[in-house]
Amino acid sequence: MTHEVLSRVQEMSGQFAAAADETERLGKLSDESVKLLRQTGVMRMLLPTEYGGYAAHPRDYAETVMEVAKNCGSTGWVTGVVGAHPWEMALMDRRLQDEVWGENPDTWIASPYAVMGVATAVDGGFKLSGRWSFSSGTDHCEWIFLGALLGDATGAPVMPPTVMHVVLPRKDYTIVDDSWDVIGLQGTGSKDIIVDGAFIPAYRTIEMDAVAAGELAAERAGRTETVYKLPFWSMFPLGITAAVIGIAEGALAAHLDYQRDRVTAMGTLIKDDPIVLSAISEAAADIAASRTQLLDGISRLYDLADAGKPISFEDRSIVRRNQIRCAWRAVEAVDQIFARSGGNAARRHNVMQRFWRDAHVGLQHAIHTPGSLYHSTALTTMGIEPEVPLRMMI
């Protein structure tokens, strides 16, 4: 059955699409886009039920992100990123969860998780300083997750490195307003964040290793719902890649609408051009395959966790490999149809060019980098244990 939130998004799809131009012009989500996300409840899909959320199956969450992105790439991207953060927050100290959601379950949390600062231990917690890039949707969030290295008394990172996720309220960091000038996903408002010596109580922190494995983190947090037993590097990439696939689906829909009655400069109706029609079908099949493979991967991991079975490194590795390939395959398909859309597809008034730009910028995210992860997965599937550097982000 279709999840109720997905049904609401589908019913409001035209409104999401209508708000897309304003979102891109503003360089952040428009008020209308934010209102629609709140009305549909999409940001509460991975929120625990005791705070008014759904603790939804990740497949339902991914499909909903795709539906939003199919109508507005930037809004879908923010949905995929910000909408994933309640999942990790559910694994944090309950005092922090009460601070964030106690009065308003629709409180949004930003990130990035990239390690761009150092958290130095002090009495009761940590002092944090640094500058972070790519904080998607940050203008609309009241709290933020940041990645940091644990530092010693001198402020230097301890060795071996310990990666932490730390959580700060809006008053403890600064958003750099002029730091998001890009060619795609313009409406995500993925701006820089600066922290200058903020104090973070220890209960607002968690070591990355504690959330990487999944089941152990859920046990420590007292979470019994299956979704919280999944690994971080399976859940966080899910929303981002779902957004890219949704953007590709939006590009395909726009392409079909545009090509239906189009006549080429040579006077040929596109519907009579077998080469273009063949390319459309190939692209449609590749985008559909990306959707199916992404949803299948997270569903397989969910089923393992739901049955009480361990999720192995090989399981995680294969799902991450496939998730990356899903994104690349979908964007390559967008390139094929855009190349056959004619010069007018590049005009600003043609929505095709926005989907094309958004798809390529979405592919730039670090979780879509194939090199070392493909290397690692190949070794793993041959029964060879990858060295530590090759196990990153898996």
Side-chain angles (χ1 to χ4, degrees):
M1 292 180 62
T2 302
H3 194 280
E4 62 182 275
V5 175
L6 175 56
S7 294
R8 286 196 289 271
V9 170
Q10 290 170 335
E11 291 169 3
M12 297 181 178
S13 61
Q15 294 169 261
F16 278 107
D21 284 342
E22 178 71 359
T23 283
E24 179 165 72
R25 186 187 68 79
L26 291 172
K28 63 180 182 178
L29 297 188
S30 65
D31 290 344
E32 179 67 12
S33 295
V34 172
K35 183 182 78 172
L36 292 169
L37 290 176
R38 294 192 187 281
Q39 286 178 342
T40 57
V42 63
M43 296 300 199
R44 288 188 281 114
M45 290 191 78
L46 299 181
L47 184 75
T49 55
E50 70 263 34
Y51 292 104
Y54 297 92
H57 193 300
R59 180 189 182 100
D60 293 328
Y61 167 67
E63 288 190 296
T64 306
V65 171
M66 291 177 191
E67 186 65 27
V68 176
K70 184 164 68 175
N71 294 283
C72 175
S74 287
T75 307
W77 183 270
V78 173
T79 302
V81 175
V82 175
H85 295 147
W87 175 86
E88 183 177 3
M89 182 58 69
L91 303 175
M92 302 286 287
D93 191 294
R94 294 298 176 105
R95 286 174 292 176
L96 176 58
Q97 294 177 48
D98 288 341
E99 287 176 345
V100 174
W101 295 319
E103 295 184 4
N104 181 12
D106 278 320
T107 298
W108 293 2
I109 312 161
S111 55
Y113 292 111
V115 179
M116 299 180 184
V118 176
T120 302
V122 295
D123 287 344
F126 302 87
K127 284 281 189 179
L128 179 71
S129 293
R131 179 167 178 153
W132 289 257
S133 297
F134 309 123
S135 183
S136 297
T138 199
D139 288 296
H140 313 285
C141 298
E142 296 302 319
W143 291 78
I144 195 166
F145 275 108
L146 295 174
L149 288 173
L150 176 62
D152 62 20
T154 69
V158 300
M159 292 296 164
T162 298
V163 177
M164 304 176 64
H165 289 174
V166 301
V167 181
L168 291 79
R170 182 71 170 265
K171 65 180 179 63
D172 287 346
Y173 59 91
T174 301
I175 298 171
V176 183
D177 280 325
D178 62 353
S179 57
W180 187 241
D181 184 11
V182 290
I183 62 168
L185 294 176
Q186 293 174 350
T188 64
S190 301
K191 301 173 182 178
D192 287 9
I193 300 296
I194 294 176
V195 179
D196 185 13
F199 172 72
I200 306 168
Y203 71 87
R204 292 184 187 164
T205 71
I206 193 168
E207 290 190 12
M208 176 64 215
D209 286 349
V211 295
E215 186 175 2
L216 180 58
E219 183 178 330
R220 287 174 175 168
R223 293 284 173 199
T224 59
E225 305 96 326
T226 301
V227 66
Y228 302 116
K229 298 177 182 179
L230 296 172
F232 176 88
W233 288 117
S234 304
M235 286 296 292
F236 181 62
L238 176 66
I240 297 172
T241 303
V244 170
I245 293 171
I247 291 167
E249 291 177 332
L252 178 63
H255 178 76
L256 293 172
D257 185 60
Y258 178 60
Q259 297 282 50
R260 189 172 292 111
D261 300 314
R262 179 171 163 250
V263 180
T264 70
M266 304 301 293
T268 303
L269 287 168
I270 290 298
K271 65 182 182 181
D272 295 329
D273 188 330
I275 296 176
V276 174
L277 296 181
S278 178
I280 289 173
S281 286
E282 286 187 10
D286 284 343
I287 293 168
S290 291
R291 166 186 273 263
T292 298
Q293 192 172 35
L294 184 71
L295 298 178
D296 175 73
I298 198 64
S299 295
R300 286 197 303 108
L301 296 186
Y302 184 94
D303 289 346
L304 287 172
D306 198 48
K309 297 179 180 179
I311 296 173
S312 68
F313 180 80
E314 182 174 3
D315 293 329
R316 291 154 49 186
S317 184
I318 290 171
V319 167
R320 275 284 281 130
R321 177 201 66 194
N322 292 351
Q323 165 254 318
I324 291 173
R325 186 61 202 142
C326 287
W328 281 79
R329 184 192 302 115
V331 176
E332 287 164 0
V334 172
D335 281 343
Q336 291 302 310
I337 55 177
F338 189 75
R340 291 168 174 82
S341 295
N344 285 321
R347 296 188 185 278
R348 287 283 183 181
H349 65 75
N350 192 323
V351 71
M352 274 286 296
Q353 54 79 27
R354 190 182 72 229
F355 281 122
W356 182 74
R357 290 185 288 108
D358 288 349
H360 278 275
V361 173
L363 197 60
Q364 296 296 111
H365 194 286
I367 62 111
H368 291 140
T369 303
S372 62
L373 197 139
Y374 280 4
H375 183 177
S376 176
T377 306
L379 290 173
T380 301
T381 54
M382 287 189 287
I384 301 170
E385 187 78 10
E387 296 180 1
V388 172
L390 291 175
R391 300 172 71 91
M392 293 178 62
M393 298 177 67
I394 297 176

